Amino acid sequence: MVVRNAERLRAVEDVVAQLRGELDALGVALPSLRVDPVSAAGGSAAYPLVDLGCCNLDTAMRLVAVLGQSR
């Protein structure tokens, strides 16, 4: 299946929304979570990136705890 640039951009937007929702459900908020604007600019990017961004120490510790529970 060939995924065109517009479809890739929509897919990365969808996955960012899904990731935000899943993290929110676990009590983890990554305030900078977004589609990377540079890789998505102009629609020429073959693979737009998800920017997980920065977070503070408390958020990082919560993320470690949640990920550790999934093992």
Side-chain angles (χ1 to χ4, degrees), residues 14 18 22 25 27 32-34 37 40 44 46 49 51-52 55 59 68:
D14 288 346
Q18 291 172 13
E22 293 296 326
S32 302
L33 177 65
R34 65 184 181 157
S44 62
L49 301 174
D51 184 353
L52 299 176
C55 65
T59 301

Side-chain angles (χ1 to χ4, degrees), residues 32-63:
S32 302
L33 177 65
R34 65 184 181 157
V35 175
D36 174 59
V38 175
S39 66
S44 62
Y47 300 99
L49 301 174
V50 174
D51 184 353
L52 299 176
C54 297
C55 65
N56 62 29
L57 176 60
D58 291 338
T59 301
M61 290 170 53
R62 178 71 182 133
L63 188 55

